[in-house]
Amino acid sequence: MRVNRSRVWLRLASALAPALLFLTACGQGNVSPQRATGAAPSPANESASIAASASQFTWIGEPGAGSAPWVDAIERARQRVDYNVYLLTDQNIANALKQAAARGVAVRVILDSHPYDFPDAVSKELAMFRGSKVQVKTWSPSATSYDHAKYLVVDGRVAMVGSANATYSALDGGANLEDNVEIDGGTLPADLDALFEADWAGRPRPNLPPALIVSPGSSKALADQIRQPGPVMMAEEELYDAPDVMAAMEAKGRQLELLLPSSIDSEEMANARMLKSHGVQVRLLSSPYVHAKLIVGTEAVFVGSENISSNSLDDNREVGIVVAEPLVRAQAQAWFAQYWQRAQPLSSASGTSGGGASTGSGGAYPYLPLGISESEARAKWGPPSSISSTTYHGRPETVWTYPNGARLYFQDGKLVHVSR
């Protein structure tokens, strides 16, 4: 813990914040990761307080950082690595985990037991680690909920929490908008390790500090983040029924900027229009795909895996963190601002009366069941903007990319994966 330098960092953060925002407004790329040391004074909002014993925080925005921060953390492991992640298909991260286990590090991975719309994901993930010393467990809180968390803990000292799955589209592919934070030192990594241990062993979750927002039961804590005083920025992948959170968003009104993917469905579009009627500023971004789950305001920044839906907040295992460091807040605000400028206001981005994102032919991007043919997919989504080829575990795949950043993957002419 290096609290003796906290005042220096707070002053530096105050000086850097306007500059970061200025660079973003001028169209600069991602703000490079920088560390914030020590803990900020406790804000008025109790749920926005961060544990004072967490010594360093690093903002990691995607696209930009890729898998390198995760790989670097795993490569530094000396004793153990615990990783809970919804989907794990990224070869760089998988290789780093296997190499760590081979050199004697105890490596454990928890994966969701039945990821939605990915029926073959578990078999592929298990095959990836077969023959290695990595211990893998598949788990979900129930048959109708998901282990949707995304956090890594190394040696009980370093942790990474955020929205990014360990997939190519989330990291090295640059297709997604993702928000993550690295924690170095203090007690928060050990707290996350205690949660991992409980889920690994099938025990009730332990008591956790307010800085960690964990589902099931995270609705009020998330709503409290939206209620922090002053302007609030939110980037969200989903916008479904979550009464406490939606009420907080309505009440924030004009002070709330909400960034959503352009591929939202009709239910989400109705919710977005309702929020707009309360003054909320809503914009839709076609690319990169908004997979982030971000809330940033005048007191704190929240990053995590929680979506705006009752299933995510009340049923799933989800993990997020609240950070009050001014430097991290400034970086998150700058990151958000550059994509906000690229997005289109709801009124002009969604001129049709129906929901979803418009294609070039005026249609929508509806749900696609796996197993349909290329011609059936084309009939529902229209022609792709580009077609390429790749291989997955030695099998050739055809990849269709659409203007909203979504990709359809075909094997032998049948749809096997949808990446939105």
Side-chain angles (χ1 to χ4, degrees):
M1 177 175 175
R2 284 164 273 195
V3 295
N4 58 319
R5 292 193 291 173
S6 63
R7 292 189 179 182
V8 174
W9 272 108
L10 290 175
R11 289 176 183 149
L12 178 59
S14 298
L16 283 176
L20 289 169
L21 292 172
F22 173 77
L23 286 173
T24 300
C26 292
Q28 300 297 319
N30 263 4
V31 180
S32 59
Q34 299 182 44
R35 295 186 182 273
T37 308
S42 298
N45 184 348
E46 181 181 355
S47 71
S49 63
I50 189 71
S53 54
S55 59
Q56 289 188 334
F57 301 94
T58 303
W59 165 261
I60 303 171
E62 303 285 359
S67 62
W70 284 262
V71 171
D72 290 347
I74 295 166
E75 289 179 343
R76 296 196 305 268
R78 293 296 175 264
Q79 296 177 323
R80 70 182 187 278
V81 172
D82 290 333
Y83 194 16
N84 187 339
V85 65
Y86 181 66
L87 290 171
L88 200 169
T89 58
D90 184 87
Q91 288 291 343
N92 291 332
I93 291 180
N95 290 339
L97 292 169
K98 290 187 284 189
Q99 290 165 9
R103 67 174 185 268
V105 176
V107 179
R108 300 185 296 180
V109 177
I110 299 178
L111 302 168
D112 182 74
S113 60
H114 54 261
Y116 177 77
D117 209 20
F118 296 95
D120 58 347
V122 172
S123 61
K124 290 180 178 180
E125 290 167 332
L126 293 177
M128 186 182 299
F129 293 105
R130 191 169 295 129
S132 75
K133 295 183 178 180
V134 176
Q135 302 177 68
V136 181
K137 177 171 288 190
T138 61
W139 174 81
S140 299
S142 72
T144 57
S145 62
Y146 303 91
D147 177 18
H148 194 244
K150 304 122 171 49
Y151 66 95
L152 171 76
V153 186
V154 174
D155 292 334
R157 183 184 61 82
V158 173
M160 304 180 73
V161 180
S163 68
N165 286 302
T167 63
Y168 182 77
S169 59
L171 301 175
D172 297 308
N176 289 5
L177 209 59
E178 309 278 5
D179 58 318
N180 311 274
V181 169
E182 180 177 337
I183 313 157
D184 192 348
T187 60
L188 287 176
D191 290 323
L192 286 165
D193 235 354
L195 175 64
F196 183 97
E197 185 65 43
D199 287 346
W200 182 269
R203 297 196 301 263
R205 82 183 191 209
N207 291 327
L208 298 169
L212 295 176
I213 297 181
V214 178
S215 295
S218 63
S219 183
K220 181 182 182 303
L222 215 65
D224 285 343
Q225 294 309 308
I226 299 168
R227 295 188 185 105
Q228 58 184 293
V232 170
M233 302 170 173
M234 293 180 66
E236 300 292 341
E237 181 189 18
E238 297 182 358
L239 190 65
Y240 291 111
D241 182 35
D244 288 348
V245 174
M246 293 295 287
M249 295 169 75
E250 288 178 18
K252 183 60 69 169
R254 183 70 184 170
Q255 288 190 306
L256 176 61
E257 294 179 344
L258 176 62
L259 183 65
L260 299 167
S262 61
S263 56
I264 56 175
D265 64 24
S266 57
E267 180 181 349
E268 294 170 294
M269 180 65 74
N271 288 335
R273 292 189 184 282
M274 180 273 295
L275 290 173
K276 184 174 182 293
S277 71
H278 286 268
V280 175
Q281 302 177 68
V282 183
R283 293 190 183 184
L284 306 182
L285 183 67
S286 60
S287 182
Y289 175 71
V290 182
H291 189 258
K293 300 93 169 64
L294 172 78
I295 305 171
V296 57
T298 59
E299 293 185 338
V301 53
F302 164 85
V303 300
S305 65
E306 286 90 339
N307 284 307
I308 307 302
S309 73
S310 58
N311 181 250
S312 176
L313 304 178
D314 301 331
D315 302 317
N316 292 353
R317 168 65 80 237
E318 309 273 7
V319 174
I321 185 169
V322 179
V323 179
E325 288 295 342
L327 179 57
V328 175
R329 284 195 295 107
Q331 291 172 322
Q333 289 166 344
W335 174 87
F336 176 93
Q338 72 172 351
Y339 296 105
W340 180 257
Q341 291 171 0
R342 297 184 194 178
Q344 295 185 21
L346 178 63
S347 57
S348 61
S350 53
T352 61
S353 58
S358 297
T359 63
S361 59
Y365 294 110
Y367 169 80
L368 294 179
L370 298 182
I372 64 174
S373 67
E374 291 184 359
S375 60
E376 290 173 314
R378 187 181 293 268
K380 288 178 176 290
W381 276 30
S385 55
S386 66
I387 299 177
S388 59
S389 60
T390 185
T391 58
Y392 187 83
H393 289 289
R395 296 193 62 181
E397 290 187 337
T398 301
V399 185
W400 292 9
T401 301
Y402 282 81
N404 69 336
R407 290 182 173 88
L408 304 184
Y409 294 78
F410 298 89
Q411 290 181 1
D412 300 322
K414 299 295 183 181
L415 182 66
V416 295
H417 178 63
V418 179
S419 173
R420 287 182 179 267

